[in-house]
């Protein structure tokens, strides 16, 4: 695994795993505080190692920090949980609107990483629109009908599911790769 992939895993999983463990040992609010600290730490490590941060970790980090602050300050667990729904719906709708206006947001963000045909980029965007909107809708159902403690478990399962879905997309980047510009998995040379 290269350093960038390890950094991405750090940014994505360490805060969520820390949140999950803290929620088992302490209150939801203490776990939320730990999530916020680990999010800042993960972003700081990312900045230190690369001297820049990708767009998506910054966006998700801001969601965590703002909603976490509201959750802890006002003892309102729905702030953090609803922010997760907003993040997923927002990402899905942003990518969908990009497609409507003929601007593939994922291509703009990841074109330096992947060399795919426009057909591949379009399929990838449609897939992510579906997974984000589905993730937001299911998150809302859990928010409305389950306790914050149950949501913590759901959050871990959701993050793992989305990560596995993301890994599966390498089959797409492989199928629609531009051979002269990429390796066998569609990653740019």
């Amino acid at each position: 695994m290269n350093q960038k992939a390890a950094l991405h895993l750090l940014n994505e999983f360490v805060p969520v795993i820390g949140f999950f463990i803290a929620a088992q040992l302490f209150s939801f609010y203490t776990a939320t505080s730990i999530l916020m600290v680990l999010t800042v730490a993960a972003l700081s490590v990312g900045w230190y190692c690369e001297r820049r941060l990708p767009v998506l970790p910054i966006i998700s980090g801001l969601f965590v920090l703002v909603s976490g602050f509201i959750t802890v300050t006002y003892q309102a667990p729905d702030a953090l949980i609803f922010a997760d729904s907003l993040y997923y719906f927002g990402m899905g709708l942003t990518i969908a609107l990009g497609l409507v206006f003929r601007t593939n947001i994922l291509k703009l963000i990841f074109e330096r990483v992947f060399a795919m045909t426009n057909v591949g980029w379009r399929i990838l965007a449609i897939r992510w629109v579906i997974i984000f909107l589905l993730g937001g809708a299911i998150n809302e159902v859990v928010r409305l009908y389950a306790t914050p403690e149950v949501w913590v478990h759901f959050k871990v399962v959701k993050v793992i599911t989305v990560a596995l879905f993301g890994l599966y997309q390498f089959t797409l980047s492989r199928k629609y790769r531009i051979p002269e510009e990429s390796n066998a998995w569609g990653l740019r040379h």
Side-chain angles (χ1 to χ4, degrees), residues 5-101:
L7 223 45
H8 178 71
L9 288 174
L10 170 80
N11 277 332
E12 189 68 33
F13 287 108
V14 169
V16 173
I17 291 168
F19 176 65
F20 177 74
I21 292 169
Q24 306 311 303
L25 301 172
F26 309 107
S27 72
F28 184 84
Y29 306 107
T30 301
T32 300
S33 297
I34 290 170
L35 173 65
M36 293 167 62
V37 168
L38 291 174
T39 297
V40 170
L43 290 171
S44 298
V45 168
W47 174 260
Y48 177 78
C49 291
E50 298 221 356
R51 294 292 181 235
R52 69 177 211 61
L53 288 173
V55 172
L56 296 180
I58 291 171
I59 293 170
S60 64
L62 287 174
F63 268 85
V64 166
L65 294 175
V66 170
S67 64
F69 176 79
I70 294 168
T71 295
V72 172
T73 302
Y74 298 104
Q75 300 288 291
D78 271 2
L80 181 67
I81 300 169
F82 184 65
D84 217 44
S85 299
L86 281 179
Y87 174 78
Y88 276 79
F89 285 135
M91 293 300 293
L93 291 174
T94 299
I95 296 167
L97 284 172
L99 290 174
V100 168
F101 293 106

Side-chain angles (χ1 to χ4, degrees), residues 144-165:
L144 293 171
Y145 296 105
T147 65
E149 293 74 22
V150 169
W151 178 80
V152 170
H153 293 275
F154 167 73
K155 170 82 171 161
V156 171
V157 171
K158 182 174 62 173
V159 167
I160 291 169
T161 302
V162 171
L164 291 173
F165 174 80

